[in-house]
Amino acid sequence: MKTRKRYRSISKKRYKINFADLATILLIVIIAILGIYFIKLGLDFEKNVKPIYSYTAEKTSDYFVLLKPNNYYTSEMLPSGRYYASKSVKQYSLDFKYHFYGDKEADVKCVYNITAELSGVVDEINDNGKEVWNRTFNVLENKKQNGKNEFYIDEKVNIDYEYYNNLARSYEKEYGIAIDSVLKVRLNVSYNINLNETNIDSQDIKDYIELDIPITNTVTGVEENYESLTIKNIKPKIENVIWKKIIYYAVGIAFIIGAIVISVVRIRKNKQNITLEDMYEKNINKILKYYRDLIVTVENEPDISNLKVMRVTTMDDVIDVAEQNKANIIQYEVIESRVSKLYVIVHDYVYIYEVTANEIV
C-alpha cells in the first residue's frame, strides 16, 4: 500500500493563477469604477461648477442702556452684556454694523432700514405658546448705498423701552390676559449684485441683524439673533442642467451594467469549461483534504467476494463507520472511469461509497 499522490489538494490548487481570469476581473473593476465616477459627476454636477463671484458679509452689534432717575445706580448708563431691572430702563441705544465686500468688482446697490416688531405670546398647557398680538414700527426709514464691490453700514438708533413696556402692559390690562412680549429690533438689508456677465443673472439678496429685547415687568436684556458672518458664492447660470446630469447618470449606469454583463458571461464561460475530470478532481481532493488521516490508497482493487456488501449513500456515513470501528478507509481509483471506490471493512462486512464527477461532496 502507498499514499495516494496523483491529485493535489484543493488548498494548493487555489493558488493557481489564471491570467485570463485576472485580466477579466481587472477589466470589470475598472469599468465599475468608471460607472461610479460618472454617477458621482452627475450627483455633484452643480457643486463642481466653479463660482464666478464670492462675497462676505460681516455683521456686528453693540448697545448700552440708559436708566431712569433712581437712587440705586451710580451711573445713568450701563454697558452691554448684562441683565437689567425692566422698570429701571429708559432706553436702549443700539449700534448696527454691516460690512459687505466681494472678491472682484461688481455693481452693488443696497437699500436698508431698521424696524421694531413687538409681539405678544400667550402660554397654554401642552403648547409652546400662541401669538395673539403683533405690531411693527419703523425705527429708521429706507436708506441707500451704492458701491462697486463693497459697502459699509453703521447705524445707531435709540429704542424707548419704557414706551414699548407701557404698550405691552396696556394690552394686558385692556384684554385681561398676561402675555410674554418681545421686541425684535432688526436691521433689514437688501442689495442687488450686478456682475455684468452674460451667463449670470443679477442677484437680489436679503440679510439682517436682529436683536431681541424681552418686554417684561421683571428683568430684561438683549439677545443676538443672527449669524455674524455670511460667506456665499455665486455660480454661473448653466443651460440644460437636468439633461447634462441625466447624461452622466446614463453613462455611469451603462458602465455598471457592462461590468455586470461581463461578470455573468465570464462566470458562465468558466462553468462551461469545467470538465468531468475537473469536477471529479474537485470532489476527491476535498475528501482527501479533510480525511487524509483515515484514507489509505491502494493500486489493486480489494477482493470482497467473501464479504457482505453494504453500500452507503453519503460520505458522512463512511466516516461514521470508519471512526466507530477504528478502521481505515481504503481507496481504489478507477482512473479511466473517473471513480474512486472507498471501502471500510468491518469483520464480514464491507461498506462501499463511490466518489464520481457528479457527486456533491
Side-chain angles (χ1 to χ4, degrees):
M1 294 183 183
K2 63 179 182 179
T3 305
R4 182 181 185 277
K5 295 181 179 179
R6 182 177 183 278
Y7 297 107
R8 292 171 293 176
S9 69
I10 293 174
S11 60
K12 293 181 181 178
K13 193 171 183 178
R14 68 176 57 163
Y15 292 103
K16 181 180 178 181
I17 298 176
N18 187 320
F19 290 101
D21 288 342
L22 187 61
T24 303
I25 292 171
L26 183 61
L27 177 63
I28 292 169
V29 170
I30 291 173
I31 293 175
I33 291 174
L34 285 173
I36 295 171
Y37 173 73
F38 276 99
I39 290 174
K40 192 174 187 304
L41 283 179
L43 292 171
D44 298 337
F45 180 75
E46 292 168 285
K47 293 180 182 178
N48 293 332
V49 176
K50 292 183 178 180
I52 197 170
Y53 182 77
S54 298
Y55 69 87
T56 301
E58 297 176 350
K59 292 164 276 186
T60 59
S61 61
D62 198 5
Y63 68 93
F64 63 86
V65 177
L66 290 178
L67 301 178
K68 300 175 186 178
N70 65 87
N71 297 321
Y72 306 100
Y73 294 95
T74 57
S75 173
E76 66 176 7
M77 183 178 71
L78 295 180
S80 62
R82 298 183 181 181
Y83 289 101
Y84 315 95
S86 297
K87 292 183 178 181
S88 71
V89 177
K90 180 179 181 181
Q91 74 176 33
Y92 280 95
S93 293
L94 308 180
D95 186 6
F96 296 95
K97 290 184 173 65
Y98 190 102
H99 184 200
F100 170 96
Y101 53 92
D103 65 347
K104 66 179 183 180
E105 188 172 295
D107 292 329
V108 183
K109 296 180 179 180
C110 169
V111 176
Y112 67 91
N113 59 48
I114 298 177
T115 59
E117 180 186 75
L118 181 60
S119 63
V121 174
V122 176
D123 287 332
E124 293 187 355
I125 298 174
N126 299 324
D127 200 338
N128 292 327
K130 294 182 178 179
E131 185 178 86
V132 295
W133 180 41
N134 183 292
R135 182 176 172 182
T136 300
F137 303 84
N138 292 324
V139 178
L140 179 70
E141 297 296 333
N142 285 346
K143 286 189 174 182
K144 295 181 180 180
Q145 278 202 28
N146 297 328
K148 282 299 180 182
N149 68 331
E150 184 177 21
F151 66 82
Y152 188 83
I153 298 171
D154 186 358
E155 291 289 347
K156 297 178 175 62
V157 293
N158 294 324
I159 300 298
D160 188 343
Y161 184 84
E162 187 175 13
Y163 167 77
Y164 293 108
N165 199 349
N166 289 338
L167 189 62
R169 304 291 77 80
S170 175
Y171 182 95
E172 290 180 326
K173 183 178 180 181
E174 177 74 20
Y175 297 107
I177 57 175
I179 58 174
D180 291 331
S181 302
V182 62
L183 185 69
K184 297 178 180 292
V185 185
R186 176 182 285 204
L187 170 69
N188 304 290
V189 184
S190 299
Y191 44 92
N192 175 275
I193 303 172
N194 190 351
L195 298 171
N196 300 315
E197 300 279 352
T198 57
N199 61 340
I200 186 168
D201 296 330
S202 62
Q203 304 291 306
D204 292 316
I205 298 163
K206 296 184 182 296
D207 203 357
Y208 64 89
I209 300 175
E210 182 180 284
L211 298 177
D212 295 347
I213 304 173
I215 305 296
T216 71
N217 273 327
T218 54
V219 294
T220 184
V222 175
E223 297 179 3
E224 294 181 351
N225 187 18
Y226 63 92
E227 294 182 358
S228 61
L229 184 66
T230 299
I231 300 175
K232 288 190 177 181
N233 298 317
I234 298 175
K235 296 182 178 181
K237 182 171 60 177
I238 302 173
E239 300 292 339
N240 301 319
V241 173
I242 299 299
W243 283 108
K244 290 179 181 179
K245 293 178 73 171
I246 289 174
I247 290 171
Y248 279 122
Y249 294 148
V251 173
I253 292 171
F255 272 117
I256 291 175
I257 291 175
I260 294 172
V261 170
I262 294 172
S263 301
V264 172
V265 170
R266 189 63 189 177
I267 290 170
R268 288 183 177 178
K269 186 176 179 181
N270 286 342
K271 287 183 177 180
Q272 291 172 356
N273 290 337
I274 296 175
T275 64
L276 290 175
E277 183 176 357
D278 291 334
M279 295 174 66
Y280 168 65
E281 280 198 27
K282 179 180 178 181
N283 289 334
I284 193 63
N285 281 335
K286 189 172 183 180
I287 292 173
L288 290 175
K289 176 184 176 181
Y290 293 107
Y291 308 113
R292 184 177 293 277
D293 292 342
L294 289 174
I295 296 174
V296 176
T297 302
V298 298
E299 292 184 345
N300 299 321
E301 186 173 4
D303 183 4
I304 59 173
S305 57
N306 296 325
L307 301 174
K308 295 178 182 178
V309 177
M310 306 291 289
R311 295 192 177 275
V312 296
T313 58
T314 67
M315 186 64 197
D316 288 338
D317 293 334
V318 178
I319 301 302
D320 289 341
V321 171
E323 289 181 341
Q324 289 174 9
N325 292 280
K326 297 182 180 180
N328 286 111
I329 299 172
I330 299 171
Q331 178 201 5
Y332 172 70
E333 185 176 44
V334 184
I335 296 176
E336 297 77 8
S337 303
R338 301 185 188 89
V339 174
S340 275
K341 295 181 179 181
L342 304 181
Y343 303 87
V344 179
I345 300 174
V346 181
H347 304 301
D348 296 333
Y349 292 86
V350 60
Y351 297 85
I352 302 175
Y353 176 74
E354 293 185 356
V355 180
T356 65
N358 297 321
E359 186 69 28
I360 300 176
V361 180

